[in-house]
Amino acid sequence: MAGPLDINDDMQRMVLRKGEATAKGGHAFQRLLQLAETRDSGQVRRVALFIAATYNGEAFPFDLFELRAVDEAISDDMLLCIDALRRGQSDLHSLVPDGDRRVRAVIEQWGLKWPEAQ
């Protein structure tokens, strides 16, 4: 049976893991965002779709099989972002400078369409 000290240790480890995942996810998101802002290829279109999905998953669904269609470094960054989202401390776009505006610009730049209002 776990005692109070065990529970506190578990909570501290969880907080540390959340912070680490958030930091790694923020750095990965910055790299992906920079790719989508500056490059033009099929892989980078998938990056733009991924970025849009992290911003608004209902409006921009992302097929996880797309992870197979990008370079390993890109998919590794996507997985770091997913882990940060899973830990739920921050929205990814809030972890990078001017993230909200930049993500909206990527959505527009890549011609991704917001769903029509019902």
Side-chain angles (χ1 to χ4, degrees), residues 48-99:
L49 288 167
F50 177 81
I51 289 168
T54 67
Y55 188 72
N56 186 325
E58 281 188 38
F60 304 103
F62 184 78
D63 182 351
L64 292 176
F65 281 93
E66 295 291 346
L67 290 168
R68 295 177 173 181
V70 295
D71 289 341
E72 187 173 353
I74 291 172
S75 65
D76 286 347
D77 278 347
M78 290 175 170
L79 290 172
L80 288 170
C81 290
I82 290 170
D83 192 39
L85 288 171
R86 174 176 73 110
R87 305 284 181 181
Q89 285 195 298
S90 301
D91 291 328
L92 292 172
H93 70 274
S94 71
L95 300 174
V96 298
D98 204 16

Side-chain angles (χ1 to χ4, degrees), residues 9 23 26 29 38 46 57 60 78 81 88 107 113:
D9 288 346
F29 192 75
T38 62
R46 289 178 173 93
F60 304 103
M78 290 175 170
C81 290
I107 290 169
K113 302 291 182 204

Side-chain angles (χ1 to χ4, degrees), residues 16-69:
L16 289 172
R17 283 194 309 265
K18 281 184 173 190
E20 184 178 306
T22 300
K24 287 180 178 180
H27 291 294
F29 192 75
Q30 173 67 29
R31 290 188 294 270
L32 294 172
L33 188 56
Q34 197 164 15
L35 276 175
E37 291 170 327
T38 62
R39 303 274 174 84
D40 184 10
S41 73
Q43 282 195 65
V44 180
R45 178 164 181 75
R46 289 178 173 93
V47 170
L49 288 167
F50 177 81
I51 289 168
T54 67
Y55 188 72
N56 186 325
E58 281 188 38
F60 304 103
F62 184 78
D63 182 351
L64 292 176
F65 281 93
E66 295 291 346
L67 290 168
R68 295 177 173 181

